[in-house]
Amino acid sequence: MQPRHVTIGDMTLGNDLPLVLIAGPCALESRAHALEVSAALVEITRKLGIGLIYKTSFDKANRTSLSGARGIGFDNGLPILAEIREARGIPMLTDVHLPEQCAPTAEAVDVLQIPAYLCRQTDLLVAAANTGAAINVKKGQFLAPWDMQHVAAKVAQSGNERVLLCERGASFGYNMLVSDMRSLPILAETGYPVVFDATHSVQQPGGQGGKSGGERRHVETLARAAVAVGVAAVFMETHEDPDRANNDGVLRGNNVIKFVPDESVLKLHIGDRIRLSIADFDSLAKARPRSAI
């Protein structure tokens, strides 16, 4: 299958095109915080020559317990997302959980994200497709990568070929995910751009009792591996102080990438130390067709 290309804003994503970063806080905390984080990420990615799609969620509906922080909500969140897109001049991505959220959300952002737990929900996929926005579908932790061709087909057969397929780990026993790098070329066989979610791939769902856990130290390893395989984009949740992030407690403290605006460095660490190696991995992976390797 020839690689399909999806244009979002002024950038084009494809498995044979330069790497794009999808980054931002897990949950939308406030207007001021979103403006601060988005400004820092724009500065960082421009210095590194990497395309940026800013992500954040007005609601995180799949928390482990009722006490888990979810975000500022649909009505309060959409105006902020629209403002960030206008102020920063960058594409925006956010989650949708219900079919009726899709159309109004697509007015404020460029990419609708289907959460992993909802990736087989036909009504949600069709409603998202009908907006004409790009759709980033996260592969359910319970699905094989080859099953995602049917998920993508639901969107495409609804008249929208602007599909991204996102790998975020597979369930491995209880409270554990593993990332099978074979999944990335299998997803790419659909032709659609493949996104690797480096932060949720180290999640430990429910691993802290009433909260999820995670192993932040492995994010860099998995991100490098995915880029070396060859993906259209890497997805990373970012926060200036992840241990105090306003979301699902220990999870984000353990797997969100910290950035330091004063140093213009992502503690992945995409910065002066491995900037060239990330670019080299991406260039090498895309230098010739995967079938030739």
Side-chain angles (χ1 to χ4, degrees):
M1 174 72 72
Q2 282 291 108
R4 303 171 189 257
H5 295 160
V6 176
T7 298
I8 301 172
D10 61 358
M11 70 186 71
T12 301
L13 281 73
N15 298 322
D16 58 340
L17 298 177
L19 186 72
V20 170
L21 178 66
I22 302 173
C26 173
L28 178 56
E29 298 182 9
S30 69
R31 174 180 177 273
H33 185 256
L35 287 167
E36 175 191 359
V37 175
S38 60
L41 287 173
V42 166
E43 179 182 357
I44 292 167
T45 52
R46 284 180 179 169
K47 285 183 177 180
L48 300 179
I50 298 173
L52 172 68
I53 297 173
Y54 186 79
K55 65 81 51 189
T56 193
S57 301
F58 56 78
D59 183 22
K60 304 300 290 187
N62 63 340
R63 289 300 184 224
T64 302
S65 65
L66 278 175
S67 62
R70 292 180 52 169
I72 66 175
F74 182 79
D75 292 334
N76 292 326
L78 289 190
I80 296 173
L81 297 177
E83 180 183 357
I84 298 299
R85 178 169 67 173
E86 179 69 21
R88 302 292 177 237
I90 52 175
M92 299 286 293
L93 175 152
T94 198
D95 306 85
V96 287
H97 300 89
L98 300 168
E100 56 267 29
Q101 292 178 340
C102 293
T105 303
E107 295 294 322
V109 305
D110 304 270
V111 185
L112 300 182
Q113 179 165 281
I114 307 298
Y117 287 126
L118 301 177
C119 71
R120 286 168 51 98
Q121 295 298 104
T122 300
D123 290 347
L124 179 59
L125 291 166
V126 171
N130 287 340
T131 67
I135 313 297
N136 184 41
V137 188
K138 289 201 168 184
K139 180 179 76 64
Q141 303 91 325
F142 44 86
L143 283 184
W146 45 84
D147 291 330
M148 287 298 285
Q149 64 181 311
H150 307 298
V151 173
K154 290 181 180 181
V155 179
Q157 291 171 12
S158 299
N160 188 342
E161 293 277 0
R162 304 180 68 211
V163 178
L164 312 176
L165 298 179
C166 182
E167 171 60 64
R168 51 95 73 235
S171 295
F172 185 73
Y174 300 123
N175 305 125
M176 183 63 67
L177 300 175
V178 295
S179 292
D180 181 357
M181 291 297 154
R182 296 174 300 175
S183 174
L184 302 177
I186 292 171
L187 291 173
E189 288 173 359
T190 64
Y192 294 112
V194 175
V195 179
F196 181 72
D197 182 344
T199 42
H200 285 99
S201 289
V202 301
Q203 186 184 47
Q204 296 172 324
Q208 300 290 332
K211 300 176 182 178
S212 290
E215 295 183 291
R216 189 162 70 197
R217 64 196 179 99
H218 296 310
V219 171
E220 180 177 339
T221 299
L222 293 179
R224 285 187 174 198
V227 173
V229 170
V231 292
V234 170
F235 178 111
M236 296 183 222
E237 297 203 323
T238 58
H239 197 278
E240 80 285 355
D241 188 357
D243 294 323
R244 296 180 181 274
N246 181 23
N247 33 44
D248 199 10
V250 176
L251 165 62
R252 299 304 174 225
N254 279 344
N255 78 359
V256 169
I257 301 306
K258 178 178 180 180
F259 74 85
V260 184
D262 290 344
E263 299 176 12
S264 293
V265 128
L266 278 170
K267 297 284 185 183
L268 167 64
H269 306 264
I270 296 179
D272 292 339
R273 187 166 66 84
I274 67 163
R275 174 176 53 192
L276 291 178
S277 63
I278 287 288
D280 287 344
F281 288 161
D282 186 51
S283 297
L284 285 170
K286 296 169 182 174
R288 54 181 174 159
R290 186 173 286 107
S291 59
I293 297 175

